[in-house]
Amino acid sequence: MPSLNRFIIELAVVAALIAALFVAAHTPLAGTGEEGVQEVTAIVLATDNSDIMHSAAGAVGPQRLEAMIDGGALKGTKTPALNHLNGQMDMDELFVPGDRILLAIRVADGTVSEARTINTFRQNWELALFAVFALALVAYARLTGLKALVSFMASLGVLWYFYIPNLLNGAAPLPLSLAVLVLLSLVIIITVAGFTRQGIAAFLGTVSGMAVTLLLTLLFGEGFRLSGMTTPFSTTLLVQGAYGLNFQHIFYSAVLLGASGAAMDIAMDVSASMHEIKVKRPDIGMKELVESGFNIGRMVIGTMSTTLLLAYSGGYLTMLMVFVSQETSIARILNMKLVAAEVFRVLIGSIGLLLVAPVTAIITGALLTFDFSRLRKGMPYCIGGTDRITGVTGITGVTNEQETVVAPAADK
Protein backbone atom coordinates (compact mmCIF):
# COMPACT_ATOMS: atom_id res chain seq x y z
CA MET A 1 0.00 0.00 0.00
CA PRO A 2 2.75 2.57 0.78
CA SER A 3 4.35 1.82 -2.59
CA LEU A 4 1.00 2.32 -4.34
CA ASN A 5 0.41 5.59 -2.51
CA ARG A 6 3.88 6.82 -3.44
CA PHE A 7 3.32 5.87 -7.08
CA ILE A 8 0.02 7.78 -7.11
CA ILE A 9 1.71 10.84 -5.59
CA GLU A 10 4.53 10.70 -8.14
CA LEU A 11 2.08 10.40 -11.03
CA ALA A 12 0.10 13.33 -9.64
CA VAL A 13 3.24 15.48 -9.54
CA VAL A 14 4.13 14.55 -13.10
CA ALA A 15 0.57 15.18 -14.27
CA ALA A 16 0.57 18.59 -12.58
CA LEU A 17 3.83 19.58 -14.31
CA ILE A 18 2.56 18.51 -17.70
CA ALA A 19 -0.83 20.17 -17.16
CA ALA A 20 0.90 23.45 -16.33
CA LEU A 21 2.79 23.32 -19.62
CA PHE A 22 -0.36 22.46 -21.58
CA VAL A 23 -2.14 25.47 -20.08
CA ALA A 24 0.82 27.68 -21.02
CA ALA A 25 0.65 26.44 -24.59
CA HIS A 26 -3.15 26.47 -24.86
CA THR A 27 -3.22 28.94 -27.75
CA PRO A 28 -3.36 26.88 -30.96
CA LEU A 29 -0.75 27.28 -33.66
CA ALA A 30 -1.54 29.60 -36.54
CA GLY A 31 -1.96 27.97 -39.92
CA THR A 32 -2.26 24.38 -38.72
CA GLY A 33 -4.54 23.55 -41.64
CA GLU A 34 -6.56 24.94 -44.52
CA GLU A 35 -9.98 26.36 -43.73
CA GLY A 36 -12.83 24.05 -44.72
CA VAL A 37 -10.54 21.10 -45.43
CA GLN A 38 -11.08 17.75 -43.75
CA GLU A 39 -8.82 14.72 -43.63
CA VAL A 40 -10.51 11.36 -44.13
CA THR A 41 -9.49 7.81 -44.99
CA ALA A 42 -10.51 6.31 -48.32
CA ILE A 43 -10.08 3.19 -50.45
CA VAL A 44 -8.66 3.58 -53.96
CA LEU A 45 -11.11 2.07 -56.47
CA ALA A 46 -9.43 2.96 -59.78
CA THR A 47 -6.41 4.90 -61.09
CA ASP A 48 -5.54 6.77 -64.28
CA ASN A 49 -1.79 7.10 -64.92
CA SER A 50 -1.99 8.31 -68.52
CA ASP A 51 -0.63 11.80 -67.74
CA ILE A 52 2.34 10.62 -65.67
CA MET A 53 5.85 10.88 -67.11
CA HIS A 54 8.11 8.13 -65.75
CA SER A 55 11.89 8.23 -65.48
CA ALA A 56 14.59 6.42 -63.58
CA ALA A 57 14.59 9.21 -60.98
CA GLY A 58 10.86 9.03 -60.30
CA ALA A 59 7.56 10.15 -61.81
CA VAL A 60 6.13 13.57 -62.60
CA GLY A 61 2.56 14.56 -63.32
CA PRO A 62 -0.99 14.06 -62.04
CA GLN A 63 -2.38 10.67 -61.07
CA ARG A 64 -6.18 10.65 -61.16
CA LEU A 65 -8.00 8.40 -58.75
CA GLU A 66 -11.50 7.19 -57.99
CA ALA A 67 -11.77 6.73 -54.22
CA MET A 68 -14.45 5.79 -51.71
CA ILE A 69 -14.41 7.45 -48.29
CA ASP A 70 -14.57 4.76 -45.61
CA GLY A 71 -14.84 6.83 -42.43
CA GLY A 72 -16.67 9.78 -40.89
CA ALA A 73 -19.96 11.40 -41.89
CA LEU A 74 -19.27 10.91 -45.60
CA LYS A 75 -18.57 7.19 -45.34
CA GLY A 76 -19.42 5.39 -48.56
CA THR A 77 -19.13 8.52 -50.72
CA LYS A 78 -17.25 8.04 -53.97
CA THR A 79 -15.17 10.96 -55.24
CA PRO A 80 -12.48 11.66 -57.82
CA ALA A 81 -9.13 12.65 -56.31
CA LEU A 82 -5.85 14.03 -57.59
CA ASN A 83 -2.38 12.82 -56.66
CA HIS A 84 0.40 15.25 -57.69
CA LEU A 85 3.78 13.62 -58.36
CA ASN A 86 6.76 15.96 -58.27
CA GLY A 87 9.62 13.60 -59.05
CA GLN A 88 10.63 13.35 -55.39
CA MET A 89 10.90 9.66 -54.65
CA ASP A 90 11.25 10.31 -50.91
CA MET A 91 7.90 12.12 -50.82
CA ASP A 92 5.78 10.91 -53.79
CA GLU A 93 3.54 7.86 -53.66
CA LEU A 94 1.97 6.09 -56.62
CA PHE A 95 -1.28 4.39 -55.61
CA VAL A 96 -2.98 1.26 -56.93
CA PRO A 97 -6.57 0.02 -56.52
CA GLY A 98 -7.15 -1.39 -53.06
CA ASP A 99 -4.78 1.00 -51.27
CA ARG A 100 -6.12 2.70 -48.17
CA ILE A 101 -5.08 6.34 -48.27
CA LEU A 102 -5.49 9.62 -46.42
CA LEU A 103 -7.47 12.21 -48.37
CA ALA A 104 -7.78 15.96 -47.91
CA ILE A 105 -11.28 16.94 -49.00
CA ARG A 106 -13.14 20.21 -49.28
CA VAL A 107 -16.85 19.89 -48.53
CA ALA A 108 -19.52 22.28 -49.84
CA ASP A 109 -23.26 21.78 -49.22
CA GLY A 110 -22.69 18.28 -47.94
CA THR A 111 -20.79 17.08 -51.02
CA VAL A 112 -17.10 16.74 -51.79
CA SER A 113 -16.03 19.56 -54.10
CA GLU A 114 -12.31 18.75 -54.18
CA ALA A 115 -10.12 15.87 -53.02
CA ARG A 116 -6.34 15.50 -52.94
CA THR A 117 -4.27 12.57 -51.77
CA ILE A 118 -1.91 12.96 -48.84
CA ASN A 119 -0.27 9.62 -48.09
CA THR A 120 -0.88 5.93 -47.62
CA PHE A 121 -2.78 5.42 -44.37
CA ARG A 122 -0.21 3.85 -42.04
CA GLN A 123 -1.57 4.97 -38.71
CA ASN A 124 -3.12 1.65 -37.68
CA TRP A 125 0.15 -0.21 -38.28
CA GLU A 126 2.02 2.41 -36.26
CA LEU A 127 -0.44 2.03 -33.38
CA ALA A 128 -0.14 -1.75 -33.57
CA LEU A 129 3.64 -1.53 -33.40
CA PHE A 130 3.43 0.86 -30.44
CA ALA A 131 1.05 -1.58 -28.72
CA VAL A 132 3.63 -4.37 -29.15
CA PHE A 133 6.28 -2.07 -27.68
CA ALA A 134 4.07 -1.11 -24.73
CA LEU A 135 3.06 -4.71 -23.96
CA ALA A 136 6.66 -5.92 -24.15
CA LEU A 137 7.82 -3.06 -21.91
CA VAL A 138 5.15 -3.69 -19.25
CA ALA A 139 5.55 -7.49 -19.46
CA TYR A 140 9.26 -7.26 -18.73
CA ALA A 141 9.55 -4.20 -16.48
CA ARG A 142 6.06 -4.40 -14.90
CA LEU A 143 5.40 -1.31 -12.74
CA THR A 144 8.61 0.36 -13.92
CA GLY A 145 7.54 -0.31 -17.51
CA LEU A 146 4.19 1.35 -16.82
CA LYS A 147 6.01 4.35 -15.39
CA ALA A 148 8.23 4.44 -18.47
CA LEU A 149 5.14 4.57 -20.69
CA VAL A 150 3.77 7.47 -18.65
CA SER A 151 7.05 9.36 -19.02
CA PHE A 152 7.15 8.56 -22.75
CA MET A 153 3.71 10.05 -23.33
CA ALA A 154 4.49 13.00 -21.08
CA SER A 155 7.67 13.74 -23.02
CA LEU A 156 5.80 13.56 -26.31
CA GLY A 157 3.19 15.97 -24.98
CA VAL A 158 5.78 18.47 -23.75
CA LEU A 159 7.62 18.46 -27.08
CA TRP A 160 4.51 18.70 -29.26
CA TYR A 161 2.34 21.11 -27.27
CA PHE A 162 4.95 23.31 -25.60
CA TYR A 163 8.45 23.07 -27.03
CA ILE A 164 7.78 23.16 -30.78
CA PRO A 165 5.02 25.83 -30.63
CA ASN A 166 7.32 28.12 -28.67
CA LEU A 167 10.15 27.57 -31.16
CA LEU A 168 7.78 28.52 -33.98
CA ASN A 169 6.67 31.60 -32.05
CA GLY A 170 10.27 32.86 -32.00
CA ALA A 171 11.40 31.90 -28.49
CA ALA A 172 15.19 31.80 -28.00
CA PRO A 173 16.00 28.17 -28.93
CA LEU A 174 18.88 27.47 -26.52
CA PRO A 175 17.36 28.76 -23.24
CA LEU A 176 14.03 27.19 -24.15
CA SER A 177 15.68 23.85 -25.01
CA LEU A 178 17.71 23.77 -21.82
CA ALA A 179 14.66 24.55 -19.67
CA VAL A 180 12.49 21.95 -21.42
CA LEU A 181 15.16 19.24 -21.28
CA VAL A 182 15.81 19.85 -17.59
CA LEU A 183 12.07 19.56 -16.95
CA LEU A 184 11.78 16.45 -19.13
CA SER A 185 14.71 14.84 -17.33
CA LEU A 186 13.08 15.58 -14.00
CA VAL A 187 9.72 14.18 -15.13
CA ILE A 188 11.18 11.04 -16.72
CA ILE A 189 13.58 10.19 -13.90
CA ILE A 190 11.05 10.89 -11.15
CA THR A 191 8.43 8.81 -12.95
CA VAL A 192 10.77 5.84 -13.38
CA ALA A 193 12.97 6.00 -10.28
CA GLY A 194 10.76 8.01 -7.93
CA PHE A 195 11.85 10.54 -5.31
CA THR A 196 14.87 8.44 -4.36
CA ARG A 197 18.55 9.12 -3.86
CA GLN A 198 19.49 7.28 -7.03
CA GLY A 199 16.81 9.24 -8.91
CA ILE A 200 18.13 12.56 -7.64
CA ALA A 201 21.70 11.54 -8.54
CA ALA A 202 20.65 10.49 -12.05
CA PHE A 203 18.89 13.82 -12.55
CA LEU A 204 21.88 15.87 -11.39
CA GLY A 205 24.24 13.79 -13.54
CA THR A 206 22.02 14.28 -16.57
CA VAL A 207 21.85 18.05 -16.07
CA SER A 208 25.65 18.24 -15.74
CA GLY A 209 26.04 16.39 -19.05
CA MET A 210 23.58 18.71 -20.78
CA ALA A 211 25.41 21.76 -19.43
CA VAL A 212 28.73 20.52 -20.84
CA THR A 213 27.07 19.68 -24.18
CA LEU A 214 25.63 23.19 -24.40
CA LEU A 215 28.98 24.82 -23.61
CA LEU A 216 30.82 22.70 -26.19
CA THR A 217 28.14 23.44 -28.78
CA LEU A 218 28.59 27.18 -28.32
CA LEU A 219 32.39 26.90 -28.20
CA PHE A 220 32.87 24.83 -31.37
CA GLY A 221 29.74 25.84 -33.28
CA GLU A 222 31.18 29.01 -34.77
CA GLY A 223 34.35 27.22 -35.84
CA PHE A 224 32.34 24.65 -37.82
CA ARG A 225 30.45 27.49 -39.55
CA LEU A 226 27.18 25.57 -39.71
CA SER A 227 24.11 27.66 -40.46
CA GLY A 228 21.59 25.06 -39.32
CA MET A 229 20.10 24.50 -42.78
CA THR A 230 21.46 20.93 -42.88
CA THR A 231 18.62 19.61 -40.73
CA PRO A 232 15.66 18.02 -42.59
CA PHE A 233 12.83 20.36 -43.64
CA SER A 234 14.75 23.50 -42.69
CA THR A 235 14.32 24.85 -46.22
CA THR A 236 10.61 23.96 -46.18
CA LEU A 237 10.17 25.85 -42.92
CA LEU A 238 11.98 28.86 -44.37
CA VAL A 239 9.84 28.83 -47.54
CA GLN A 240 6.71 28.80 -45.39
CA GLY A 241 7.72 32.19 -43.99
CA ALA A 242 9.76 31.38 -40.87
CA TYR A 243 12.31 34.09 -41.69
CA GLY A 244 12.71 35.28 -38.11
CA LEU A 245 13.82 31.93 -36.69
CA ASN A 246 17.43 31.38 -35.65
CA PHE A 247 18.13 28.17 -37.57
CA GLN A 248 21.69 27.93 -36.29
CA HIS A 249 20.54 27.85 -32.67
CA ILE A 250 17.72 25.48 -33.61
CA PHE A 251 20.41 23.14 -34.95
CA TYR A 252 22.37 23.54 -31.71
CA SER A 253 19.17 22.72 -29.82
CA ALA A 254 18.75 19.57 -31.90
CA VAL A 255 22.27 18.50 -30.89
CA LEU A 256 21.41 19.10 -27.23
CA LEU A 257 18.10 17.28 -27.59
CA GLY A 258 19.73 14.27 -29.21
CA ALA A 259 22.42 13.96 -26.54
CA SER A 260 20.05 14.39 -23.58
CA GLY A 261 18.41 11.00 -24.01
CA ALA A 262 21.74 9.17 -23.95
CA ALA A 263 22.82 11.25 -20.96
CA MET A 264 19.72 10.18 -19.02
CA ASP A 265 20.36 6.57 -20.01
CA ILE A 266 23.93 6.60 -18.71
CA ALA A 267 23.05 8.48 -15.52
CA MET A 268 20.26 6.03 -14.69
CA ASP A 269 22.45 3.01 -15.51
CA VAL A 270 25.17 4.18 -13.15
CA SER A 271 22.92 5.31 -10.29
CA ALA A 272 20.66 2.23 -10.42
CA SER A 273 23.64 -0.13 -10.49
CA MET A 274 25.24 1.62 -7.53
CA HIS A 275 21.94 1.46 -5.65
CA GLU A 276 21.82 -2.31 -6.19
CA ILE A 277 25.37 -2.60 -4.87
CA LYS A 278 24.41 -0.60 -1.79
CA VAL A 279 21.36 -2.79 -1.18
CA LYS A 280 23.45 -5.98 -1.39
CA ARG A 281 26.36 -4.49 0.55
CA PRO A 282 24.90 -2.03 3.09
CA ASP A 283 28.28 -1.70 4.81
CA ILE A 284 30.12 -0.48 1.70
CA GLY A 285 31.88 2.86 2.06
CA MET A 286 31.63 5.87 -0.20
CA LYS A 287 35.09 5.45 -1.74
CA GLU A 288 34.52 1.81 -2.70
CA LEU A 289 31.01 2.54 -3.95
CA VAL A 290 32.20 5.43 -6.14
CA GLU A 291 34.98 3.25 -7.55
CA SER A 292 32.35 0.67 -8.50
CA GLY A 293 30.31 3.43 -10.14
CA PHE A 294 33.34 4.54 -12.13
CA ASN A 295 33.91 1.00 -13.37
CA ILE A 296 30.26 0.71 -14.40
CA GLY A 297 30.43 4.09 -16.12
CA ARG A 298 33.52 3.11 -18.11
CA MET A 299 31.75 0.03 -19.46
CA VAL A 300 28.61 1.98 -20.38
CA ILE A 301 30.54 4.83 -22.02
CA GLY A 302 32.61 2.35 -24.01
CA THR A 303 29.55 1.17 -25.89
CA MET A 304 27.38 4.32 -25.79
CA SER A 305 29.76 6.42 -27.89
CA THR A 306 29.72 3.76 -30.60
CA THR A 307 25.95 3.58 -30.30
CA LEU A 308 25.70 7.27 -31.16
CA LEU A 309 27.98 6.80 -34.16
CA LEU A 310 25.96 3.85 -35.49
CA ALA A 311 22.66 5.64 -34.88
CA TYR A 312 23.68 8.71 -36.89
CA SER A 313 25.40 6.61 -39.57
CA GLY A 314 22.23 4.58 -40.03
CA GLY A 315 20.31 7.74 -40.85
CA TYR A 316 22.74 8.58 -43.66
CA LEU A 317 23.57 5.10 -44.94
CA THR A 318 22.71 5.90 -48.57
CA MET A 319 24.88 9.02 -48.48
CA LEU A 320 27.82 6.93 -47.28
CA MET A 321 27.13 4.47 -50.11
CA VAL A 322 27.37 7.35 -52.61
CA PHE A 323 30.72 8.41 -51.18
CA VAL A 324 32.10 4.88 -51.48
CA SER A 325 30.71 4.32 -54.98
CA GLN A 326 32.23 7.61 -56.23
CA GLU A 327 35.49 7.07 -54.33
CA THR A 328 35.15 10.50 -52.77
CA SER A 329 38.28 11.74 -51.02
CA ILE A 330 38.38 11.87 -47.22
CA ALA A 331 39.16 15.60 -47.34
CA ARG A 332 36.07 16.31 -49.44
CA ILE A 333 33.89 14.12 -47.22
CA LEU A 334 35.02 15.69 -43.94
CA ASN A 335 34.60 19.25 -45.24
CA MET A 336 31.14 18.66 -46.69
CA LYS A 337 28.60 20.69 -44.72
CA LEU A 338 26.20 17.80 -44.14
CA VAL A 339 28.97 15.48 -42.94
CA ALA A 340 30.48 18.17 -40.71
CA ALA A 341 27.09 18.65 -39.07
CA GLU A 342 26.88 14.94 -38.21
CA VAL A 343 30.48 14.86 -36.96
CA PHE A 344 29.58 17.83 -34.78
CA ARG A 345 26.53 15.98 -33.38
CA VAL A 346 28.38 12.74 -32.63
CA LEU A 347 31.48 14.24 -31.02
CA ILE A 348 29.74 16.96 -29.01
CA GLY A 349 27.23 14.42 -27.71
CA SER A 350 29.93 11.87 -26.88
CA ILE A 351 32.09 14.37 -24.97
CA GLY A 352 29.07 15.42 -22.93
CA LEU A 353 28.37 11.78 -22.10
CA LEU A 354 31.92 11.29 -20.83
CA LEU A 355 31.19 13.66 -17.95
CA VAL A 356 27.81 12.18 -17.04
CA ALA A 357 29.11 8.85 -15.73
CA PRO A 358 31.77 10.09 -13.25
CA VAL A 359 29.64 12.98 -11.99
CA THR A 360 26.68 10.63 -11.45
CA ALA A 361 28.93 8.11 -9.69
CA ILE A 362 30.26 10.72 -7.27
CA ILE A 363 26.81 12.17 -6.50
CA THR A 364 25.24 8.72 -6.11
CA GLY A 365 28.05 7.54 -3.83
CA ALA A 366 27.66 10.61 -1.63
CA LEU A 367 23.87 10.36 -1.41
CA LEU A 368 23.73 6.61 -0.80
CA THR A 369 26.34 6.63 1.97
CA PHE A 370 25.35 9.85 3.77
CA ASP A 371 23.44 9.27 7.01
CA PHE A 372 20.30 11.32 6.47
CA SER A 373 18.82 10.08 9.73
CA ARG A 374 20.84 12.77 11.49
CA LEU A 375 18.70 15.35 9.71
CA ARG A 376 15.41 13.77 10.78
CA LYS A 377 15.43 14.44 14.50
CA GLY A 378 12.03 15.10 15.93
CA MET A 379 10.18 12.79 13.54
CA PRO A 380 7.85 10.03 14.90
CA TYR A 381 9.39 6.68 15.78
CA CYS A 382 9.39 4.18 12.94
CA ILE A 383 10.24 0.48 13.18
CA GLY A 384 11.09 -2.12 10.59
CA GLY A 385 10.37 -0.16 7.41
CA THR A 386 12.18 0.04 4.13
CA ASP A 387 14.14 3.21 3.58
CA ARG A 388 12.30 4.70 0.59
CA ILE A 389 15.45 6.55 -0.44
CA THR A 390 18.04 3.79 -0.30
CA GLY A 391 15.69 0.85 -0.59
CA VAL A 392 17.51 -0.86 2.32
CA THR A 393 15.34 -2.69 4.83
CA GLY A 394 16.24 -2.01 8.45
CA ILE A 395 15.09 -0.57 11.75
CA THR A 396 15.46 3.14 12.35
CA GLY A 397 13.99 5.04 15.21
CA VAL A 398 13.91 8.76 15.87
CA THR A 399 12.21 10.36 18.85
CA ASN A 400 12.12 13.88 20.15
CA GLU A 401 14.61 12.90 22.84
CA GLN A 402 17.08 10.73 21.00
CA GLU A 403 18.00 9.05 17.77
CA THR A 404 18.56 5.31 17.44
CA VAL A 405 19.93 3.75 14.30
CA VAL A 406 20.06 -0.05 14.14
CA ALA A 407 21.98 -1.91 11.44
CA PRO A 408 19.96 -3.10 8.45
CA ALA A 409 18.14 -6.35 8.98
CA ALA A 410 19.74 -9.45 7.49
CA ASP A 411 18.08 -11.06 4.49
CA LYS A 412 15.78 -13.84 5.52
Side-chain angles (χ1 to χ4, degrees):
M1 184 62 69
S3 297
L4 179 60
N5 291 338
R6 189 179 72 177
F7 178 54
I8 293 174
I9 292 172
E10 290 168 355
L11 286 185
V13 171
V14 172
L17 290 172
I18 302 305
L21 288 178
F22 282 8
V23 170
H26 184 68
T27 304
L29 289 174
T32 52
E34 299 178 41
E35 186 177 355
V37 173
Q38 304 176 24
E39 294 179 356
V40 297
T41 56
I43 302 296
V44 177
L45 302 177
T47 62
D48 179 5
N49 301 334
S50 58
D51 293 330
I52 297 177
M53 294 183 294
H54 293 274
S55 68
V60 178
Q63 181 188 36
R64 293 178 173 82
L65 311 173
E66 182 72 20
M68 182 177 67
I69 299 173
D70 68 345
L74 297 172
K75 183 177 181 179
T77 302
K78 296 182 180 180
T79 180
L82 198 59
N83 177 28
H84 286 287
L85 303 174
N86 301 311
Q88 297 176 289
M89 297 183 69
D90 58 333
M91 302 296 292
D92 292 341
E93 293 192 71
L94 195 64
F95 302 111
V96 297
D99 285 347
R100 193 178 188 205
I101 63 175
L102 190 63
L103 275 182
I105 61 173
R106 193 181 300 275
V107 180
D109 299 326
T111 61
V112 179
S113 60
E114 182 185 0
R116 290 172 293 146
T117 65
I118 301 177
N119 289 110
T120 299
F121 188 74
R122 301 178 174 90
Q123 186 173 314
N124 288 343
W125 285 103
E126 292 168 346
L127 292 175
L129 188 59
F130 179 78
V132 172
F133 161 72
L135 289 173
L137 181 62
V138 174
Y140 175 72
R142 292 173 288 188
L143 184 59
T144 301
L146 183 61
K147 292 180 179 181
L149 281 178
V150 171
S151 67
F152 180 88
M153 299 305 297
S155 301
L156 183 62
V158 170
L159 293 175
W160 188 260
Y161 290 102
F162 180 78
Y163 180 61
I164 295 175
N166 278 281
L167 282 179
L168 289 171
N169 288 334
L174 290 176
L176 174 66
S177 299
L178 187 61
V180 167
L181 290 176
V182 168
L183 176 63
L184 279 180
S185 301
L186 180 64
V187 169
I188 293 169
I189 291 173
I190 286 178
T191 303
V192 174
F195 293 102
T196 58
R197 298 190 195 188
Q198 64 268 23
I200 294 171
F203 170 70
L204 295 177
T206 301
V207 172
S208 69
M210 286 191 292
V212 171
T213 301
L214 178 59
L215 291 175
L216 290 172
T217 299
L218 295 174
L219 181 62
F220 285 91
E222 292 299 324
F224 272 70
R225 298 186 65 183
L226 298 171
S227 64
M229 299 307 293
T230 55
T231 52
F233 294 98
S234 295
T235 303
T236 303
L237 197 58
L238 191 61
V239 170
Q240 290 178 350
Y243 303 112
L245 298 183
N246 188 334
F247 283 94
Q248 184 183 53
H249 282 191
I250 290 175
F251 169 68
Y252 292 167
S253 299
V255 174
L256 188 62
L257 184 65
S260 64
M264 268 188 285
D265 187 16
I266 290 177
M268 185 55 70
D269 286 345
V270 173
S271 64
S273 299
M274 293 176 67
H275 170 254
E276 285 298 311
I277 293 173
K278 181 63 176 176
V279 170
K280 301 301 181 183
R281 283 271 316 275
D283 60 327
I284 192 171
M286 177 179 172
K287 181 180 178 182
E288 189 178 358
L289 185 60
V290 171
E291 287 176 353
S292 298
F294 273 38
N295 291 332
I296 295 167
R298 291 187 187 103
M299 295 295 181
V300 175
I301 287 293
T303 57
M304 184 60 68
S305 298
T306 307
T307 300
L308 286 177
L309 173 64
L310 294 177
Y312 288 122
S313 298
Y316 289 92
L317 181 59
T318 51
M319 181 184 70
L320 298 176
M321 293 170 66
V322 170
F323 291 155
V324 173
S325 66
Q326 295 182 351
E327 299 182 354
T328 309
S329 68
I330 296 298
R332 182 174 295 186
I333 291 173
L334 292 179
N335 287 284
M336 185 178 178
K337 185 162 60 173
L338 187 59
V339 174
E342 296 312 307
V343 170
F344 185 81
R345 287 176 187 267
V346 172
L347 295 182
I348 291 293
S350 297
I351 295 172
L353 296 181
L354 289 175
L355 184 69
V356 173
V359 169
T360 304
I362 294 171
I363 295 174
T364 306
L367 290 178
L368 290 181
T369 55
F370 183 77
D371 186 5
F372 280 88
S373 63
R374 298 179 180 278
L375 305 178
R376 297 200 289 259
K377 290 185 178 180
M379 295 178 62
Y381 194 86
C382 177
I383 300 178
T386 298
D387 189 332
R388 63 186 300 274
I389 295 181
T390 64
V392 178
T393 301
I395 304 175
T396 61
V398 180
T399 67
N400 291 329
E401 304 295 332
Q402 62 180 0
E403 174 187 45
T404 305
V405 180
V406 182
D411 292 338
K412 295 182 179 179

